Amino acid sequence: MTRFQIQVPATSANLGPGFDSVGIALTKFVTLDCRPADEWHFAVPEEDQPYIPAGKTNLVYQTALHTAKVHGHDSLPPTHVTMTNDVPIARGLGSSSTAVVGGIELANQLLDLRLSDYDKFKIACEIEGHPDNVGPAIYGGIMVSNYDNGALDYVHFTDGLDDLTWLAVIPNYHLKTEKARGLLPVELPYKEAVNNSGSANVLVAALAMKNWELAGRMMKSDRWHQPYRQALIPGFTDVEKATTDAGALGFYISGAGPTMLALFDEWDEAKAARLKQELADFQVEPLQAHLTGVTVHKQTEAKHC
Ligand code: HSE
């Protein structure tokens, strides 16, 4: 009898102007400990129980079943899944992507589907609709990708990311992605779109060239979404000022918010203590890039004679 554990990292999408197409995996995780059972059950941490159902309606199971059906299976073997969750729900750190990627991997393991990372990425994009969180959750590091009418193209890189600290400043309230997307304009003037595309291009080139100072400046230059979303995040300007004064190279709304991320190339405990004190209304967590994406650890039970 085999038990296994799936670990999926949190992700931060957009990085400023890389709207819907750039994301990074970070060192916070959802863990699914899976063992065979007579019926399906998800043991969910108490604080998440109002949002994550214990039964088959939850997103992990629904995604696993969808993945199974896409590959010609009608059902999944009943499993007891114990969830450990360090990724706060509806805060802009990719919690729904952890469920989607976790569900795909669950089906992959239970049915021995032998999916490639690209297979997983495509299924995840069909479900999420945009690739910027699910991509890094699968591959780790930074993922630059585009999903357009079923066509999925990407560039993935991890070089130099070990040198950086991504400071997550997490408000203590939920913000639904649909609400934050609902504030965005339907159209942009052509010239504005060209400028936004230009700053996104420079962002990506700077990240790939490890020019962190330039990448940080581009994060702050976003005009695709942040000007519209800032109003939903009380304290945005104060957090930007505090982190910039502390030496942050870049600052942006993580995904649809409300978490804000500040990029540092120099970091120490004194800086961490000072910022935690200054930003006491928020959960302040220094994170690193997670370079490998979703992982599976198998555990075979010893046979008793
Ligand atoms: N790119 C997405 C957004 C991420 O900003 O709305 C959240 O799903």
Side-chain angles (χ1 to χ4, degrees), residues 12-14 16 18-22 92-94 96-97 128 130-133 177-178 180-181 184 225 229 253-257:
S12 174
N14 300 333
F19 183 66
D20 275 1
S21 63
V22 181
L93 287 168
S96 80
S97 294
E128 278 267 297
H130 44 87
D132 49 349
N133 286 107
T177 297
E178 304 82 68
R181 287 181 90 84
L184 305 180
H225 68 113
R229 288 173 162 174
I253 298 173
S254 182

Side-chain angles (χ1 to χ4, degrees), residues 55-107:
K56 288 180 167 180
T57 53
N58 82 43
L59 186 55
V60 176
Y61 179 85
Q62 289 295 319
T63 304
L65 186 63
H66 172 79
T67 306
K69 287 188 170 165
V70 166
H71 289 85
H73 298 262
D74 285 338
S75 63
L76 292 153
T79 303
H80 186 283
V81 180
T82 304
M83 182 182 287
T84 313
N85 187 13
D86 186 32
V87 181
I89 291 173
R91 306 295 167 81
L93 287 168
S95 61
S96 80
S97 294
T98 61
V100 168
V101 172
I104 293 169
E105 193 57 66
L106 183 58

